[in-house]
Amino acid sequence: MNPAAAGLSPARLNRIRARMEKHIEAGRLAGGLGLIMRRGHIGYFETWNMREDAIFRIYSMTKAVTGVAAMMLFEEGAFALADPVSNFIP
């Protein structure tokens, strides 16, 4: 795992750990797993209160997948974030 090879900032990735630990200590989360992959490289992988090989169900991924797809289109210049929805949906 090499954040630099994936084009990610190790300093910014460390903010994820601090935030997750804060939520776990406050009792808002029992545990979690974080994975960020970019350009074919795993830049970040960490678990909190669970094993790396844990098997669990993932519910309601529609919003996450749609959000990633929308931001990929944004990065390609297909639309601007300030564009009104009426430009795309009659």
Side-chain angles (χ1 to χ4, degrees), residues 77-88:
F79 67 93
L81 293 177
D83 286 348
V85 174
S86 61
N87 286 0
F88 308 98

Side-chain angles (χ1 to χ4, degrees), residues 1 8 15 19 31-32 34 39 41 43 54 61 65-66 80 84 87:
M1 179 176 58
L8 301 171
R15 293 171 26 188
R19 182 63 59 102
R39 299 181 185 143
H41 298 279
M61 287 302 298
V65 172
T66 302
N87 286 0

Side-chain angles (χ1 to χ4, degrees), residues 34-53:
L35 173 74
I36 300 174
M37 187 168 185
R38 186 170 183 223
R39 299 181 185 143
H41 298 279
I42 295 175
Y44 181 83
F45 180 70
E46 191 163 355
T47 62
W48 299 273
N49 292 346
M50 61 188 307
R51 295 180 6 202
E52 288 184 5
D53 62 350

Side-chain angles (χ1 to χ4, degrees), residues 24-35:
I24 289 169
E25 289 171 10
R28 290 189 288 270
L29 291 173
L33 181 143
L35 173 74

Side-chain angles (χ1 to χ4, degrees), residues 50-69:
M50 61 188 307
R51 295 180 6 202
E52 288 184 5
D53 62 350
I55 297 173
F56 51 91
R57 297 187 84 139
I58 300 176
Y59 293 95
S60 189
M61 287 302 298
T62 305
K63 290 180 225 52
V65 172
T66 302
V68 169

